């Protein structure tokens, strides 16, 4: 075998499947990815690299598949551009007029006749496939096609009608996307708003059961709205594992399509008032003891919270069945409507939760579907069907939990709207899912399980980051006509006014890492940015949901050039805004269409950052040695000096502080407020304030790269949010925030 030829073949195959051989790193330096780092990723996609012959066959298959398809399986076309569609026809069937049958989303039919003489299609090239010569055409569809999800078929003969069921007829799932995402008119006019970002589980109240819930959220939006806030952000509230609550990372969910039922407020469930069994459970002294422990704990005890909540929820469900289902009440019909609307996806989620619960009870190590008997790893096997039939009532219980959670989230968003919030809630869509969870079990072929999503090496992480989440297989995603992606976006735009997309660069490319290896052995894999962006724009307009993406880190030009024209907001983190000089970005130089914050869930609180407590923690965990810790502290001091000089430039330097005198640079509430004024003065249309910073907390909610070393996703707030905003210092601070934000319009 010619080694050089073999490498060239692998590079060609890698290009066919979207692997990037070159990229610019975090410092802007070009990086060439060696072939040996692409090989594991190609194997993860199911490709065979054992011989030159196999490589050639697979390369040929890619090209042949494209040429053999009369119409693409899916096409996403964007308003504001020419509607161009690639068509392949044998020369023998090429007529002067191409006839297409379009079935619109609303069921109406339309005949499209494209004339070659009038330039409505043009020939691009030809290729010999066996004895047949195939012509590749560029067809120009009418520009008045409505936005939506349609079906397009080629009419093969003069009098031949298309089969509306698509049988025997090649069909293109045609998606017509709007020019931009939805944007509230007030923001389009330059009105600046502010709000708060919340980790929901951290909220405290006298009535919750040890972690924040949807009623806490409702009370929080009302309290913040009364102070002038127009947006409240959430951590991902995706479904985790009700039977395995110790897995608590919101960024490693079981499913991104459903909710975490632990956020249900038990006492707000309709059945609570009439469930004698639930009352008896709660009146038990041991139950009350555990409830008190959970309420007053500094960190969320997820197993204890789950034990308490699930026991009572089971009783409430029994009451629902006996009172509502049996009598076929309005509430029972609403539940049925929810189940019908969420369809098979909801059923699979509930089935997974029951299977997970059952096997975990048998073996505490049986975490996820890959630990189950082989037959039950298939959602559609006869064994799975038999198991579900034997546990159908438990399956319905889990669907009921999703309905209750959905209703309570909807109540929270309605409370925000009724309180006059311009946006209300924004939800957070995680970049991936846990490989042992419901989404992967439901459609295993959609994921590449021998790879994990992460980030390439950079200055902060020389070996990169491996997040352990299996990536979507781009080819499988396209073969599914993007249906799983559409469903995911829809589910996460429900009951909110905005959606944050974590690691938005993943719409264009994701860094894939081989399982069991560090991220520096990985490479980038491309995704169909324009197709995925088109779907997001369409769903954004339909849900009237603002969209912004977490675009921190290495941002490729394709993202920078594509998202802003689509009114897809960016995400600016103030602590990362130090320029090459000795200043931070001036407030006037912030982009308009961005959500700006000083810090987020992956960054220390302002108090912790200023006092270098994060660096001390890295040293305690063994990530930094003494020398590295000291270097980082010296660099941090330079950054703090630059930040203070920037505050001085805009007249916000606290009295008595001098960037040239370290002894004057202690952290204080006034400094915390002035740092926020820097952000609030910015040109950014949206700014959000972390409640942790207002409470002067110094411990992080999450330490990236750690698991058991630090209690991630557990640290709670130290006070009730409703009481917090009533404090004198907070009222004055938020009044100033409103004055500054309302002083002038943003330049968009």
């Amino acid at each position: 075998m010619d080694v050089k030829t073999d490498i060239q073949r692998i590079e060609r195959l890698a290009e066919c499947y979207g692997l990037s051989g070159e990229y610019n790193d975090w410092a802007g330096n070009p990086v060439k990815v060696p072939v040996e780092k692409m090989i594991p990723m190609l194997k993860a996609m199911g490709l065979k690299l054992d011989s030159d012959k196999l490589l050639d066959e697979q390369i040929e298959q890619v090209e042949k598949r494209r040429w053999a398809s009369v119409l693409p399986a899916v096409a996403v076309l964007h308003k504001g551009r020419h509607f161009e569609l690639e068509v392949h026809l044998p020369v023998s069937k090429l007529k002067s007029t191409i006839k297409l049958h379009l079935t619109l989303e609303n069921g109406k039919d339309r005949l499209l006749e494209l004339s070659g003489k009038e330039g409505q299609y043009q020939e691009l090239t030809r290729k010999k496939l066996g004895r047949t010569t195939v012509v590749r055409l560029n067809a120009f569809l009418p520009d008045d096609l409505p936005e939506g999800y349609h079906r397009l078929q080629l009419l093969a003969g003069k009098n031949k009608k298309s089969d509306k069921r698509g049988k025997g007829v090649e069909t293109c799932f045609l998606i017509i996307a709007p020019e931009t995402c939805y944007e509230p008119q007030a923001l389009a006019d330059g009105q600046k708003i502010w709000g708060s970002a919340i980790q929901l589980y951290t909220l405290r109240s006298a009535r919750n059961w040890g972690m924040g819930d949807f009623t806490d959220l409702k009370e929080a939006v009302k309290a913040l709205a009364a102070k002038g806030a127009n947006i409240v952000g959430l951590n991902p509230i995706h479904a985790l594992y009700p039977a395995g609550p110790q897995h608590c990372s919101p960024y490693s969910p079981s499913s991104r399509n459903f909710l975490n039922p632990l956020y249900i407020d038990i006492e707000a469930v309709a059945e609570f008032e009439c469930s004698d069994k639930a009352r008896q459970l709660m009146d038990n002294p041991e139950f009350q003891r555990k409830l008190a422990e959970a309420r007053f704990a500094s960190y969320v005890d997820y197993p204890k919270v789950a034990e308490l909540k699930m026991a009572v929820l089971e009783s409430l469900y029994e009451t629902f069945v006996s009172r509502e289902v049996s009598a076929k009440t309005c509430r029972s019909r609403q539940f049925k409507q929810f189940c019908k609307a969420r369809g098979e996806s909801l059923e699979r989620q509930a089935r997974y939760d029951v299977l997970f619960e059952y096997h975990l009870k048998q073996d505490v190590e049986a975490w996820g579907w890959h630990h189950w008997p082989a037959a039950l790893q298939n959602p559609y096997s006869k064994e799975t069907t038999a198991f579900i039939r034997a546990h159908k009532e438990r399956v319905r219980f889990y669907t009921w939990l999703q309905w209750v959670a959905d209703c309570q989230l909807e109540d929270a968003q309605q409370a925000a709207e009724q309180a006059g919030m311009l946006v209300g809630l924004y939800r957070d869509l995680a970049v991936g899912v846990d490989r042992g969870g419901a989404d992967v079990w439901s459609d295993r072929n959609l994921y590449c399980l021998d790879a994990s999503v992460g980030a390439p090496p950079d200055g902060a992480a020389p070996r990169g980051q491996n997040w352990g989440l299996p990536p979507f297989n781009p080819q499988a995603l396209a073969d599914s006509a993007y249906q799983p992606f559409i469903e995911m976006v829809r589910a996460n735009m429900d009951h909110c006014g905005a959606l944050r997309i974590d690691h938005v660069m993943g719409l264009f490319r994701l860094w894939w890492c081989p399982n069991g290896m560090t991220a520096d052995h990985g490479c980038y894999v491309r995704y169909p940015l324009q197709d995925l962006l088109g779907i997001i724009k369409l769903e954004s307009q339909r849900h009237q949901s603002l969209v912004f993406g977490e675009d921190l880190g290495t941002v490729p030009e394709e993202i920078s050039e594509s998202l802003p024209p689509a009114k897809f907001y960016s995400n600016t983190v103030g602590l990362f805004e130090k320029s090459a000089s000795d200043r931070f970005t001036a407030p006037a130089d912030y982009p308009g269409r961005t959500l700006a914050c000083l810090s987020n869930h992956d960054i220390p609180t302002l108090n912790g950052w200023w006092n270098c407590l994060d660096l001390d923690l890295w040293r305690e965990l063994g990530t930094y040695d003494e020398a590295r810790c000291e270097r980082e502290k010296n660099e941090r001091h330079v950054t703090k000096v630059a930040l203070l000089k920037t505050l001085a430039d805009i007249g916000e330097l606290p009295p008595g502080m001098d960037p040239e005198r370290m002894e004057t640079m202690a952290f204080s509430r006034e400094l915390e407020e002035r740092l926020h004024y820097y952000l609030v003065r910015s040109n950014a249309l949206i700014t959000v304030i972390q409640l942790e910073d207002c409470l002067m907390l110094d411990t992080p909610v999450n330490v990236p790269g750690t698991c058991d070393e630090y209690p991630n996703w557990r640290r709670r707030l130290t006070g009730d949010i409703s009481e917090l905003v009533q404090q004198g210092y907070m009222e004055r601070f938020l009044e100033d925030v409103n004055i500054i934000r309302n002083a002038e319009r943003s330049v968009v």
Side-chain angles (χ1 to χ4, degrees):
M1 181 185 293
D2 185 342
V3 175
K4 184 177 180 181
T5 302
D6 186 48
I7 289 176
Q8 291 174 344
R9 285 185 170 102
I10 292 175
E11 288 177 335
R12 172 65 180 137
L13 186 64
E15 178 62 29
C16 290
Y17 280 86
L19 277 68
S20 298
E22 297 178 350
Y23 70 95
N24 291 331
D25 68 10
W26 64 280
N29 302 314
V31 177
K32 171 72 174 175
V33 179
V35 170
E36 56 265 25
K37 291 187 178 181
M38 297 182 182
I39 290 174
M41 303 301 95
L42 292 170
K43 289 181 177 179
M45 292 180 174
L47 299 170
K48 307 297 183 184
L49 312 180
D50 303 321
S51 68
D52 283 358
K53 182 181 178 182
L54 280 172
L55 290 169
D56 289 339
E57 288 175 353
Q58 290 169 119
I59 292 169
E60 185 180 352
Q61 284 172 4
V62 173
E63 190 70 4
K64 187 176 181 180
R65 184 168 57 231
R66 183 181 176 191
W67 278 91
S69 299
V70 176
L71 297 173
V74 59
V76 183
L77 308 180
H78 301 250
K79 289 279 189 179
R81 310 176 198 173
H82 292 302
F83 289 167
E84 300 181 29
L85 187 69
E86 193 174 274
V87 179
H88 295 92
L89 287 173
V91 171
S92 60
K93 294 187 177 181
L94 183 60
K95 310 295 182 182
S96 59
T97 300
I98 296 176
K99 295 184 179 181
L100 298 166
H101 176 238
L102 179 66
T103 302
L104 297 174
E105 187 177 14
N106 61 11
K108 293 183 178 180
D109 294 326
R110 182 171 172 181
L111 178 65
L112 306 180
E113 297 185 313
L114 307 180
S115 169
K117 293 181 180 179
E118 297 182 14
Q120 292 170 321
Y121 73 82
Q122 61 185 24
E123 181 176 330
L124 298 179
T125 185
R126 297 188 176 201
K127 185 179 181 68
K128 195 83 170 176
L129 294 181
R131 296 182 178 181
T132 305
T133 299
V134 178
V135 184
R136 176 174 293 163
L137 305 171
N138 194 28
F140 300 95
L141 303 184
D143 59 10
D144 64 344
L145 298 183
E147 296 171 9
Y149 301 99
H150 315 304
R151 192 175 75 246
L152 189 68
Q153 297 171 326
L154 181 75
L155 294 179
K158 185 185 258 185
N159 300 314
K160 206 168 194 178
K161 293 184 179 180
S162 64
D163 184 338
K164 290 192 176 183
R165 295 167 298 175
K167 284 191 174 181
V169 179
E170 192 160 357
T171 302
C172 173
F173 186 54
L174 183 65
I175 304 173
I176 304 297
E179 288 189 58
T180 69
C181 295
Y182 170 78
E183 181 182 40
Q185 189 58 49
L187 294 180
D189 292 340
Q191 178 181 332
K192 295 179 180 181
I193 65 172
W194 71 272
S196 182
I198 290 173
Q199 300 284 315
L200 181 52
Y201 54 88
T202 69
L203 295 187
R204 281 186 183 271
S205 66
R207 42 144 298 280
N208 79 33
W209 287 25
M211 64 181 285
D213 57 31
F214 289 129
T215 294
D216 289 324
L217 177 60
K218 183 161 64 172
E219 294 306 313
V221 297
K222 290 192 292 187
L224 287 164
K227 300 302 179 184
N230 277 289
I231 187 170
V232 172
L234 296 174
N235 56 287
I237 52 176
H238 306 316
L240 296 176
Y241 298 91
Q246 61 269 40
H247 180 104
C248 60
S249 170
Y251 289 95
S252 180
S254 173
S255 172
R256 289 184 286 185
N257 293 345
F258 295 97
L259 300 172
N260 182 353
L262 289 188
Y263 287 123
I264 292 173
D265 172 11
I266 305 297
E267 298 174 47
V269 179
E271 285 70 37
F272 182 78
E273 292 298 326
C274 51
S275 175
D276 293 336
K277 188 174 180 180
R279 295 279 184 173
Q280 290 172 3
L281 276 172
M282 290 183 60
D283 288 342
N284 183 289
E286 181 63 13
F287 186 99
Q288 287 297 318
R289 183 187 66 78
K290 290 181 179 179
L291 181 56
E293 287 178 352
R295 277 182 175 151
F296 292 107
S298 298
Y299 290 84
V300 178
D301 185 338
Y302 288 101
K304 184 175 290 183
V305 172
E307 176 190 350
L308 296 170
K309 287 198 170 189
M310 292 301 286
V312 179
L313 283 168
E314 288 170 2
S315 298
L316 298 182
Y317 172 70
E318 291 175 10
T319 302
F320 171 76
V321 172
S322 62
R323 291 176 61 94
E324 308 290 338
V325 176
S326 300
K328 298 182 179 180
T329 63
C330 177
R331 183 165 165 79
S332 174
R333 290 194 297 272
Q334 290 171 348
F335 172 55
K336 285 186 176 180
Q337 289 169 359
F338 173 79
C339 293
K340 182 179 179 180
R342 300 304 299 268
E344 186 181 347
S345 181
L346 173 62
E347 180 72 13
R348 286 197 305 267
Q349 175 68 36
R351 290 179 176 187
Y352 175 87
D353 284 335
V354 173
L355 281 159
F356 180 90
E357 177 184 63
Y358 174 84
H359 287 96
L360 201 62
K361 285 180 179 178
Q362 311 304 311
D363 179 3
V364 294
E365 299 298 325
W367 192 276
W369 58 266
H370 45 284
H371 292 289
W372 305 344
L376 297 180
Q377 294 181 17
N378 179 355
Y380 306 103
S381 71
K382 63 181 182 180
E383 290 84 357
T384 299
T385 301
F387 179 93
I388 296 305
R389 189 182 300 117
H391 298 81
K392 62 180 181 180
E393 196 59 34
R394 194 64 178 173
V395 171
R396 187 165 65 163
F397 167 66
Y398 274 106
T399 62
W400 179 80
L401 289 182
Q402 287 299 326
W403 176 57
V404 172
D406 187 82
C407 291
Q408 291 194 359
L409 176 62
E410 183 178 19
D411 286 346
Q413 174 61 10
Q414 288 178 351
E417 294 170 355
Q418 291 166 4
M421 280 193 172
L422 179 65
V423 176
L425 302 178
Y426 80 69
R427 294 177 63 178
D428 195 352
L429 176 61
V431 70
V433 293
D434 186 56
R435 68 182 62 250
D439 280 359
V440 177
W441 177 76
S442 297
D443 193 355
R444 203 177 319 165
N445 292 331
L446 191 60
Y447 298 88
C448 291
L449 298 181
D450 290 331
S452 299
V453 176
D458 59 26
R463 303 191 73 178
Q465 301 177 51
N466 185 335
W467 303 326
L469 309 171
F472 273 142
N473 184 330
Q475 186 59 54
L477 196 60
D479 290 344
S480 70
Y482 303 128
Q483 289 299 325
F485 185 82
I486 295 168
E487 180 181 2
M488 179 183 71
V489 172
R490 283 176 177 166
N492 284 276
M493 285 185 179
D494 277 348
H495 313 320
C496 64
L499 178 65
R500 173 189 185 269
I501 297 181
D502 187 42
H503 194 69
V504 74
M505 289 79 76
L507 297 176
F508 171 65
R509 68 184 187 187
L510 279 173
W511 185 262
W512 286 24
C513 319
N515 286 347
M517 301 181 73
T518 53
D520 52 338
H521 290 86
C523 69
Y524 275 118
V525 177
R526 291 190 298 273
Y527 287 79
L529 169 62
Q530 293 304 320
D531 288 3
L532 302 183
L533 177 58
I535 291 166
I536 291 170
K537 289 191 297 184
L538 179 54
E539 293 301 327
S540 168
Q541 291 287 356
R542 290 188 166 186
H543 285 81
Q544 293 203 327
S545 174
L546 184 70
V547 183
F548 54 94
E550 188 254 329
D551 53 352
L552 307 175
T554 307
V555 182
E557 289 183 4
E558 289 82 354
I559 289 289
S560 302
E561 293 172 355
S562 297
L563 300 194
K567 296 183 180 178
F568 197 123
Y569 281 46
S570 63
N571 186 193
T572 304
V573 177
L575 291 182
F576 293 163
E577 285 298 300
K578 184 179 181 299
S579 60
S581 64
D582 60 349
R583 293 293 193 279
F584 272 60
T585 300
D589 293 335
Y590 270 63
R593 286 193 177 96
T594 192
L595 181 143
C597 55
L598 281 177
S599 62
N600 63 23
H601 58 273
D602 283 335
I603 303 172
T605 62
L606 286 180
N607 190 353
W609 181 86
W610 193 268
N611 288 308
C612 300
L613 299 182
D614 57 316
L615 304 180
D616 289 336
L617 180 58
W618 283 122
R619 182 186 57 199
E620 291 172 16
L621 295 174
T623 305
Y624 291 170
D625 58 20
E626 289 289 344
R628 171 74 184 274
C629 187
E630 196 60 32
R631 287 198 306 272
E632 295 288 342
K633 286 185 176 182
N634 290 335
E635 291 180 15
R636 181 70 56 84
H637 179 73
V638 172
T639 302
K640 290 190 291 186
V641 168
L643 192 48
L644 290 179
K645 288 181 177 179
T646 306
L647 293 183
D649 292 343
I650 62 173
E652 291 292 356
L653 185 67
M657 289 196 96
D658 184 349
E660 304 300 328
R661 296 172 56 206
M662 185 178 293
E663 66 272 16
T664 69
M665 292 172 57
F667 193 75
S668 64
R669 179 167 299 284
E670 182 164 15
L671 177 58
E672 174 262 314
E673 292 178 355
R674 296 296 184 105
L675 289 172
H676 278 110
Y677 295 153
Y678 155 74
L679 189 75
V680 173
R681 288 181 182 276
S682 75
N683 187 53
L685 282 168
I686 306 173
T687 57
V688 294
I689 297 165
Q690 301 280 109
L691 293 179
E692 285 88 343
D693 292 328
C694 297
L695 288 165
M696 302 281 283
L697 298 187
D698 59 9
T699 54
V701 76
N702 173 51
V703 178
T706 65
C707 184
D708 298 326
E709 303 93 329
Y710 184 84
N712 293 323
W713 317 115
R714 293 174 174 84
R715 195 263 287 128
R716 303 175 69 192
L717 299 183
T718 54
D720 186 315
I721 184 175
S722 298
E723 297 175 358
L724 171 64
V725 297
Q726 301 300 330
Q727 298 292 321
Y729 71 87
M730 276 295 290
E731 289 194 328
R732 175 186 52 76
F733 168 61
L734 295 181
E735 183 178 347
D736 289 343
V737 168
N738 282 311
I739 292 171
I740 295 171
R741 283 266 92 185
N742 295 330
E744 58 185 23
R745 297 277 171 171
S746 176
V747 179
V748 179

